[in-house]
Amino acid sequence: MRGLRCLDGSSLAVLPVPARDRGGAPFEVTLELRRDGAAFGAVGERCGHRLAALAAGVAAARADGSPQAARWPDPDDRFPGPEDGPGGEWELFAFRYRERADAPGCGELRCTLRTSARWVGSGDGGAWRVSRRAVVEAWGSTGRGVRAVLTSGELFDFLTDLTGEIRSLP
């Protein structure tokens, strides 16, 4: 799996690991987080279905003719969910411990949608450019965190790669 390029220059890989029942049969996945190739944390007991549903939602939002297309002409600004959450943020997913018995601090992987505006142009000849981005944040077992900012196309590629790997697990 290709990693996400984080704002600090590091690479975050999210690797699916089969979750197995008592008989050893896989029934879902957890996610292993690796920063620059080193173990970083483990999260997300039974999260494969949620990731697949989000990938489908991002694809639908990016499509021409989607409800999001009327407000967001650039497909990279189109995400599923409400147009604006509290403070312009909306959580797309949050995965924490692998199991209920895990102690806090085993890791976290979270994705929020953030809306921002910047002035483009000069003086009276300018206009506000409003954009939306997915902010993927991960915290490792040591408490250190990393962040990547993605367009909806980049988030879709990440989710498609990840769910493809999940489907190919033995």
Side-chain angles (χ1 to χ4, degrees):
M1 148 135 248
R2 67 182 170 95
L4 295 175
R5 179 60 51 199
C6 298
L7 295 177
D8 68 357
S10 65
S11 177
L12 177 70
V14 180
L15 308 167
V17 178
R20 300 185 184 279
D21 64 19
R22 290 182 184 163
F27 66 94
E28 250 293 1
V29 297
T30 60
L31 302 174
E32 178 183 323
L33 307 177
R34 299 188 71 74
R35 182 173 177 258
D36 291 334
F40 192 63
V43 300
E45 183 72 22
R46 295 179 288 282
C47 61
H49 292 291
R50 289 187 55 202
L51 292 167
L54 179 57
V58 172
R62 286 181 55 78
D64 290 337
S66 71
Q68 292 84 356
R71 173 128 190 252
W72 303 99
D74 184 347
D76 280 338
D77 291 329
R78 299 180 198 159
F79 293 88
E83 285 304 308
D84 294 303
E89 291 188 17
W90 176 255
E91 189 170 82
L92 296 174
F93 65 77
F95 303 124
R96 291 173 180 87
Y97 325 116
R98 293 173 301 178
E99 299 175 14
R100 289 182 202 141
D102 282 352
C106 290
E108 183 172 344
L109 181 66
R110 181 173 184 249
C111 181
T112 55
L113 179 59
R114 295 198 182 147
T115 303
S116 63
R118 66 181 168 92
W119 187 256
V120 179
S122 61
D124 293 336
W128 287 104
R129 165 67 170 107
V130 179
S131 63
R132 293 170 31 156
R133 295 295 180 258
V135 178
V136 177
E137 297 171 308
W139 289 270
S141 56
T142 64
R144 183 177 175 132
V146 293
R147 176 180 295 161
V149 178
L150 308 175
T151 66
S152 67
E154 292 166 335
L155 179 63
F156 177 74
D157 291 344
F158 167 72
L159 294 169
T160 301
D161 288 350
L162 185 56
T163 56
E165 285 189 35
I166 291 169
R167 283 191 300 276
S168 69
L169 289 172

